[in-house]
């Protein structure tokens, strides 16, 4: 039995028979994971017994909850398909080349205009590697060599891209790690303060529990960047923009002499947060665990485009399994009845 993940064209690594997708280089991710585990382990081994005796048994309980939250979130971020788009097949590439015979510009230089429901018109650029017109908010990651939906950035600390399908896990990872670092650092100080009361000096208290000082130093130098990064992504979520868009200044108030309004913002920070962190997640565009047969074909449909006007809006439809695809199909070619049936069966939806 051959599955689709065995033919993945990007540089991503696939584990567990297509269930886990990570980036190519995971060394920094393993280092970050070990640093979290070692620091937390020192806290549980050298601080929690004394604090439980002197203060409350609830201290290690809350620390364990935060620690498990951090581990779950970082693993979910690192092992989730961030929203990799499938590359165009040779037949689809041939169709794109024939869609307008009057075009003298190569596909790599063409731009397709997309009109959204809100009335905004966006320009879609052609990806020379993936051989497709990149939908809104899609960017090509040079590390993973793949186009990522809602591409935010490639994070070496989680060893994966951060995009449409794992961004919320990345945000909750930053939030829980900020709380864990603050929690450990505060109780490191409390531990030393309590021990100094039974010793002559603070130095004697530190010599009594040197592991506490090691934890405090690690947390002190880490907490500022972690909290700063969490605050920055909170700001991005409230504005409903990605790191990639913020760096490129895509939705500035004055851009090339025109007012640029973010068409993806709901006009309210709370609504943007709710949509990003609590909204439904789409299934994987790749469907890596699907079984590949020799006569296996991928259903694909295109509407709103014809040979006379190739720049009309392209809409996307789910296949029989409910999975969305960026695949396009010439309804005038083979099996036109199937294309018409698909259009009548499913209501059109914008990719964005």
């Amino acid at each position: 039995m051959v599955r689709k993940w065995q033919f993945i064209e990007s540089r991503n690594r696939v584990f567990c028979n297509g269930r886990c997708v990570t980036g190519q280089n995971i060394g920094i991710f393993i280092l970050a994971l070990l640093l979290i585990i070692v620091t937390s382990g020192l806290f549980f081994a050298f601080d929690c017994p004394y604090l439980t005796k002197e203060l409350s048994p609830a201290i290690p309980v809350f620390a364990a909850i935060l620690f498990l939250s951090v581990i779950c979130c970082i693993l979910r971020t690192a092992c989730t398909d961030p929203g990799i788009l499938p590359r165009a097949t040779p037949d689809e590439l041939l169709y794109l080349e024939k869609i307008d015979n009057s075009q003298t510009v190569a596909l790599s230089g063409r731009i397709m205009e997309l009109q959204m429901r809100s009335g905004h018109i966006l320009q879609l650029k052609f990806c020379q590697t993936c051989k497709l017109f990149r939908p809104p908010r899609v960017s090509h990651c040079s590390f993973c060599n793949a186009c990522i939906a809602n591409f935010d950035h490639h994070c070496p600390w989680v060893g994966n891209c951060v995009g449409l399908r794992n961004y919320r896990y990345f945000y909750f990872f930053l939030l829980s790690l900020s709380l864990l670092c603050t929690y450990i650092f505060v109780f490191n100080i409390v531990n030393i303060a309590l021990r100094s009361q039974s010793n002559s000096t603070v130095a004697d208290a530190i010599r009594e529990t040197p592991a506490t000082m090691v934890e405090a130093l690690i947390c002190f130098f880490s907490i500022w960047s972690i909290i700063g990064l969490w605050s920055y992504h909170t700001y991005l979520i409230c504005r409903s923009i990605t790191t990639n868009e913020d760096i490129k200044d895509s939705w500035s108030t004055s851009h090339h002499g025109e007012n640029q309004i973010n068409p993806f913002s709901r006009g309210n920070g709370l609504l943007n947060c709710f949509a990003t962190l609590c909204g439904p997640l789409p299934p994987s565009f790749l469907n890596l665990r699907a079984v590949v047969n020799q006569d296996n074909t991928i259903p694909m449909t295109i509407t709103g485009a014809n040979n006379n006007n190739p720049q009309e809006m392209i809409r996307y439809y789910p296949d029989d399994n409910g999975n969305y695809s960026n695949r396009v199909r010439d309804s005038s070619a083979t099996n036109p009845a199937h294309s018409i049936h698909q259009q009548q069966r499913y209501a059109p939806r914008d990719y964005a």
Side-chain angles (χ1 to χ4, degrees):
M1 182 182 296
V2 180
R3 297 186 183 271
K4 290 179 66 176
W5 67 265
Q6 296 175 266
F7 300 95
I8 190 170
E9 297 176 287
S10 64
R11 298 194 187 105
N12 297 84
R13 295 185 179 185
V14 182
F15 303 96
C16 302
N17 201 20
R19 293 181 176 87
C20 299
V21 179
T22 66
Q24 183 182 23
N25 299 319
I26 58 175
I28 300 179
F29 161 67
I30 296 176
L31 176 64
L33 194 62
L34 290 176
L35 190 61
I36 294 171
I37 294 175
V38 170
T39 304
S40 301
L42 292 175
F43 179 74
F44 286 119
F46 295 97
D47 293 84
C48 285
Y50 182 80
L51 294 173
T52 299
K53 179 180 178 181
E54 296 293 328
L55 297 178
S56 172
I59 294 176
V61 174
F62 284 111
I65 293 174
L66 291 175
F67 172 73
L68 292 176
S69 299
V70 171
I71 296 299
C72 289
C73 289
I74 191 175
L75 290 178
R76 194 66 188 270
T77 305
C79 299
T80 299
D81 171 15
I84 303 173
L85 297 187
R87 298 185 179 184
T89 63
D91 291 339
E92 294 168 353
L93 184 60
L94 181 63
Y95 170 75
L96 289 176
E97 292 175 347
K98 292 182 177 180
I99 195 171
D100 188 3
N101 294 328
S102 62
Q103 288 276 3
T104 59
V105 182
L107 274 176
S108 58
R110 296 186 192 179
I111 295 178
M112 181 180 294
E113 289 187 347
L114 172 75
Q115 184 176 3
M116 300 184 63
R117 292 176 180 175
S118 59
H120 294 82
I121 298 178
L122 304 179
Q123 292 185 339
L124 310 184
K125 296 181 179 180
F126 186 80
C127 179
Q128 187 64 31
T129 303
C130 300
K131 308 300 181 183
L132 53 85
F133 285 97
R134 291 197 292 261
R137 313 194 99 175
V138 172
S139 185
H140 189 87
C141 175
S142 59
F143 294 98
C144 297
N145 197 30
C147 282
I148 310 296
N150 283 34
F151 177 76
D152 190 86
H153 68 287
H154 183 92
C155 181
W157 294 104
V158 299
N160 202 354
C161 281
V162 178
L164 176 65
R165 301 189 65 250
N166 64 349
Y167 182 81
R168 66 179 56 177
Y169 305 122
F170 176 75
Y171 179 81
F172 287 130
F173 162 66
L174 293 178
L175 175 60
S176 57
L177 185 59
S178 299
L179 294 176
L180 180 63
C181 282
T182 305
Y183 191 87
I184 292 178
F185 182 69
V186 168
F187 279 103
N188 286 155
I189 297 176
V190 171
N191 188 6
I192 294 176
L194 291 176
R195 291 177 183 273
S196 63
Q197 294 179 356
S198 58
N199 293 277
S200 56
T201 62
V202 176
D204 293 335
I206 294 176
R207 280 192 292 267
E208 186 177 344
T209 172
T212 301
M213 196 61 189
V214 174
E215 303 163 33
L217 290 175
I218 295 175
C219 291
F220 178 79
F221 289 107
S222 303
I223 196 171
W224 308 108
S225 58
I226 296 173
I227 293 181
L229 191 58
W230 168 74
S231 302
Y232 173 67
H233 279 278
T234 302
Y235 161 77
L236 294 179
I237 290 177
C238 291
R239 291 186 58 195
S240 188
I241 62 176
T242 64
T243 302
N244 186 51
E245 293 171 345
D246 187 50
I247 293 175
K248 294 181 178 179
D249 203 16
S250 300
W251 311 117
S252 61
T253 55
S254 179
H255 190 66
H256 298 295
E258 299 179 359
N259 290 330
Q260 299 289 327
I261 300 176
N262 184 3
F264 305 103
S265 176
R266 289 161 176 77
N268 184 285
L270 292 178
L271 292 179
N272 291 334
C273 290
F274 181 81
T276 303
L277 302 178
C278 303
L281 287 178
S284 174
F285 298 102
L286 297 178
N287 192 16
L288 293 175
R289 303 195 70 246
V291 178
V292 178
N293 300 320
Q294 290 184 352
D295 57 346
N296 190 26
T297 58
I298 301 176
M300 44 198 174
T301 306
I302 183 172
T303 64
N306 50 57
N307 291 335
N308 297 326
N309 189 2
Q311 292 185 342
E312 292 191 14
M313 176 163 45
I314 296 177
R315 297 183 184 274
Y316 298 80
Y317 297 86
D319 58 21
D320 294 335
N321 296 323
N323 297 325
Y324 289 87
S325 175
N326 68 319
R327 306 298 190 182
V328 295
R329 178 176 188 154
D330 186 359
S331 59
S332 63
T334 60
N335 197 11
H338 174 73
S339 298
I340 297 175
H341 175 70
Q342 282 284 84
Q343 296 177 20
Q344 294 176 347
R345 181 178 178 184
Y346 298 108
R349 298 188 182 183
D350 291 332
Y351 179 87

